[in-house]
Amino acid sequence: MSEYLPSRLEPKWQEEWTKAKLYQTPEGTDKPKFYDLVMFPYPSGNLHMGHVRNYAIGDIIARFKRMNGFAVLHPIGWDAFGMPAENAAIKHQTHPKPWTEKCIERMTVQLKKLGISYDWEREVNTSSEEYYKWTQWIFLLMYQKGLAYRKKAIVNWCPKCDTVLANEQVVKEDKCWRCDSTVEQRDLEQWFFKITAYADRLLADLEKLTGWPEPVKIMQRNWIGKSEGVEINFQLPTNNKQLTIYTTRPDTLFGVTYMVLAPEHPLALELAKGTTQEKPVRDYIEKVKHESTHERAVSTGKDGVFTGGYAINPATGEQVPVWLADYVLMGYGTGAVMAVPAHDQRDHDFAKAHNLPIKEAEPYTGDIGAKKINFKLRDWLVSRQRYWGAPIPVIYCDKCGTVPVPESELPVKLPMDVKFTGEGASPLTQSKSFLEANCPKCGGPGRRETDTLDTFNCSSWYYLRYSDPRNSQEPFSKEKAKRWLPVDQYIGGIEHAILHLLYSRFFTKVLFDAGWAPTDEPFTNLLTQGMVVKDGAKMSKSKGNVVDPDYIVEKYGADTARLFILFASPPEKELEWSDAGVEGSYRFLGRVWRLITEKEIGATNPQVSKKTHQTIKGVTEDIDRFSFNTAIAKLMELTNTMYELGSTQEGIKALLLLLSPFAPHLTEELWRQLGNKESIHREPWLKFDPELVKESEKTIPIQVNGKLRDAIVVPADATEAVVKAAADKSEKVASFTKGKQVVKVIYVPGKMLNLVVK
């Protein structure tokens, strides 16, 4: 008798699989393709059980699809640029590169210990020069197509991260998405991607994504924020200019009694200049600069100041005063609104607070203004004032202006001669070897852009690089991308619904339009897994409730860690960590081990055979719909059946093959102990016998006047008459019908019989 010792058998099989290149992606095969992808991790140095859940889900799908005859692409890599590495470098007076490499090395060991069936030969690292060369190439493609541009704008600034943020990276209550600091507003010149040029397509093409969860699509629809209205021009009599407003309610034009501008509006100071309101206006603008976007968005709508200027209502010819108010944001519409206090609560409150007229008016039905479609979506701010990111491939020349770096000179490499002090500007601004560069146009002296690209640039196209990760001549081969894209199943957290998923869709559409990507949507199906929580809170280092996967693997084995994380909850639901649940999963694997190593295996048994084929059918259907917890429960039932009725060769083979995606090490070991020469993971998935999965009997609930009185067992194909006759013989039913008249019989075939009596 041998003992189940995961610590011995798991490393052995991991080494064997690596030698045999068991999970290498097949090329040149006529098998149908299946691209199975989990969102790649940031190399922080340690996995947590939330990671394990994500990767285990992806691995079950990959193993299941391989056994079902698919050529599977199941890659892994590292989203390796970003602020944590730079902050660690500042803290330890080192460089982000070795810190990142050390983290990747440790997490690679952890992932391999879990037995995840990745094709490690396709590993990518976004901070490597061979990767970010092509991130820069995509930037230049955007620039050539007019989709990358530089402008001065009011931007989000995180004082702790010491960099600007895209709108999508400012989360609830104006907090930084990464460090949770309150975000400020600054007026800076920055690089943007013109994602708004794709707003219509990003919105319309959500209808194509039938394999995406509806909540994710709703979040994207709301973020894009399409509305249809009109732009109306109000004449400004003092300077003969026009004030353009956007409204979805042009019918309320007769009710306009004042106008409101965002304090940042370019006409705000111009209207006040030379009037008694000039100083109050300047003071108000300065005050609002220190308010966050969230504070302004939830403003009571009562704070504001009169500009001293007026506008002419084009419907009535009346002059109406122009005010400034913090609740109007320059980033939405035109930064100016017409106020109709009789029809809008916020306008009404503002009018009351400042003694402005409130006028009931008939609906306006005439033609005025131009029809306009507006979007809440704003262009993506992509430059960051940090070192550890892909350098923006641009040179500034006093003679030629902004000049893109030629493709032949890519990558623009990050210099190593920099110091990380955490004080002042980015280290790139202090590197003479990096800053000084000849202008590609005139050959004269120039200086490099010292901002780096937002790390979401790197993760917005990595799924394409996986199709051809060692290509040094182009970002990927169009033929190989056509073979593997789109991703058939993408797996990751719903927290990426706006940032990563929206940006990836944008990148894919740009590359599709440029003739590179084979499809204009990157991910056919999306599974958003729920969080792993412990003690009622999401696992995190800050909360001190993290469970170390290494501890679980060392004590119970990787198969137990995988089995528990999949059995404890459906993948899309929150999972509450349970030490008892881990113990239970370990005990089940021990029972499987003993069933095969200690019990005699018989030849045939009709009852076991029937249960086996029902399990094959049930587990297949459950994995297909990602109901992994119920699939495992069915395997537990089959194990119990063989303990009770005796195991059979057919039953044992089915148990091991069906369990192999969940517990790859245990099943491989037992499969070989049974005398099989080839890996269990190269075996085909089992088919069930339709005749054996049929139920021979059914249990039918019997009700009297809608109340359950008995449950009877009848043949599976029993007619209503047979069920009624069996019910008539039931003593329990008879005690409720004796002396009463059955006035109606309600029968739901195979489900229920109800006798209505009086």
Side-chain angles (χ1 to χ4, degrees), residues 81 86 95-97 126-129 132 136 386-392 411-418 420 426-428 431 433-434 448-453:
F81 273 138
E86 193 164 341
H95 192 280
K97 185 178 174 64
T126 63
S127 67
S128 67
E129 291 171 6
Y132 72 71
Q136 293 172 340
R386 303 290 295 205
Y387 167 85
W388 195 233
I392 294 175
V412 175
K413 297 179 182 180
L414 285 168
M416 295 297 287
D417 63 337
V418 292
F420 294 87
S426 161
L428 287 179
S431 171
S433 65
F434 178 81
R448 292 195 187 278
E449 170 63 79
T450 56
D451 285 355
T452 55
L453 287 168

Side-chain angles (χ1 to χ4, degrees), residues 325-342:
D326 59 358
Y327 71 84
V328 180
L329 304 174
M330 196 62 211
Y332 297 96
T334 64
V337 299
M338 62 183 205
V340 189

Side-chain angles (χ1 to χ4, degrees), residues 80 120 122 136 180 294 306 493 538 554 560 566 600 740:
W120 283 97
R122 289 179 182 253
Q136 293 172 340
D180 211 34
H294 175 74
F306 176 45
K538 179 184 177 182
E554 286 166 15
T560 293
L566 295 164
E600 185 177 341
K740 297 177 182 176

